[in-house]
Amino acid sequence: DTEVTQTPKHLVMGMTNKKSLKCEQHMGHRAMYWYKQKAKKPPELMFVYSYEKLSINESVPSRFSPECPNSSLLNLHLHALQPEDSALYLCASSQTGQLNTEAFFGQGTRLTVV
Amino acid sequence: KNQVEQSPQSLIILEGKNCTLQCNYTVSPFSNLRWYKQDTGRGPVSLTIMTFSENTKSNGRYTATLDADTKQSSLHITASQLSDSASYICVVSAMAGTASKLTFGTGTRLQVML
């Protein structure tokens, strides 16, 4: 199983809503990532979890709150988002501390904030 | 600052033709370099991953090269197919603690036409 599964595939939410994006992998990877990608731009790193601990936070606004409940799951809690937060949110996972580590990406959640 | 630059930005070729995409990087400390294929609105899919000791790696019709001295990589696509139409992203990995930190290029948008 080399899949990273993200749910939902599409999400439309209002600026006062609270929603969560979910990501799951069963490859035994101990590093998981959240990326944000705007149209025709490369993905931008948001957060990195390593061994279920937040190791990198790329100065992301507090309206995005990551959570890693166990080694297979990664959530991104959303609250009071702005229309400019509309984007494709990608989850990825990889082995940690491995020189030849491979990163596998999910298919993304297309988020629209109205 | 870690950077990855790709050229050309976009490319249109006829089906059956070959093409080569370029990637220049300044990333330290270098861990590995990956090429991903990304269809619009979908997550990136890995094509190849190369460490500093590897010069060439093939995956079917895709052949990647790496010159760690000049910090350049190329992706050669042979006998292109319509399904090759996508964005091709060069991603360079730097070790950051126990997790890899990926620097993405802006991608080359390839369109294969009949």
Side-chain angles (χ1 to χ4, degrees):
Chain A
D1 181 7
T2 58
E3 277 197 2
V4 176
T5 304
Q6 288 187 244
T7 56
K9 286 186 172 55
H10 301 276
L11 178 62
V12 179
M13 61 185 290
M15 290 188 283
T16 58
N17 291 159
K18 282 185 183 180
K19 296 287 185 184
S20 296
L21 309 185
K22 296 186 184 302
C23 175
E24 190 169 1
Q25 56 86 17
H26 297 287
M27 294 177 277
H29 290 171
R30 302 312 296 273
M32 296 186 75
Y33 311 76
W34 279 115
Y35 287 86
K36 173 184 176 182
Q37 187 176 26
K38 303 285 271 186
K40 298 184 181 180
K41 298 286 187 184
E44 297 175 4
L45 181 65
M46 300 174 73
F47 302 105
V48 180
Y49 271 84
S50 180
Y51 291 89
E52 295 93 71
K53 289 186 174 13
L54 184 64
S55 65
I56 296 176
N57 178 341
E58 293 288 305
S59 302
V60 179
S62 60
R63 56 186 185 268
F64 296 92
S65 175
E67 178 197 17
C68 189
N70 61 56
S71 60
S72 299
L73 295 174
L74 184 66
N75 299 322
L76 186 62
H77 303 297
L78 314 172
H79 175 53
L81 294 194
Q82 304 297 312
E84 60 264 29
D85 295 322
S86 299
L88 180 68
Y89 287 84
L90 293 166
C91 173
S93 72
S94 68
Q95 290 285 354
T96 59
Q98 302 289 323
L99 183 64
N100 217 6
T101 186
E102 181 63 85
F104 293 85
F105 284 82
Q107 291 301 300
T109 294
R110 171 67 61 188
L111 174 67
T112 303
V113 182
V114 297
Chain B
K1 181 182 177 184
N2 290 340
Q3 284 189 316
V4 177
E5 295 181 355
Q6 292 187 242
S7 61
Q9 281 191 340
S10 61
L11 183 61
I12 301 175
I13 61 173
L14 294 176
E15 187 182 28
K17 297 296 185 183
N18 304 336
C19 65
T20 300
L21 315 179
Q22 301 291 341
C23 172
N24 297 335
Y25 63 91
T26 53
V27 174
S28 181
F30 177 85
S31 176
N32 55 61
L33 183 146
R34 313 120 182 267
W35 282 93
Y36 284 88
K37 176 185 178 185
Q38 186 176 23
D39 294 311
T40 301
R42 308 296 295 275
V45 175
S46 178
L47 297 175
T48 65
I49 179 170
M50 302 174 72
T51 62
F52 66 87
S53 61
E54 296 175 296
N55 299 120
T56 304
K57 185 170 274 191
S58 292
N59 177 5
R61 294 180 297 104
Y62 301 103
T63 299
T65 66
L66 174 64
D67 186 333
D69 292 330
T70 61
K71 295 184 170 53
Q72 295 179 328
S73 176
S74 67
L75 180 69
H76 186 74
I77 303 175
T78 305
S80 60
Q81 300 176 359
L82 295 177
S83 58
D84 293 332
S85 297
S87 287
Y88 290 83
I89 306 175
C90 176
V91 184
V92 183
S93 173
M95 290 307 296
T98 57
S100 298
K101 191 168 181 180
L102 306 180
T103 302
F104 286 74
T106 53
T108 293
R109 296 181 66 83
L110 174 66
Q111 187 172 353
V112 180
M113 302 182 67
L114 285 171

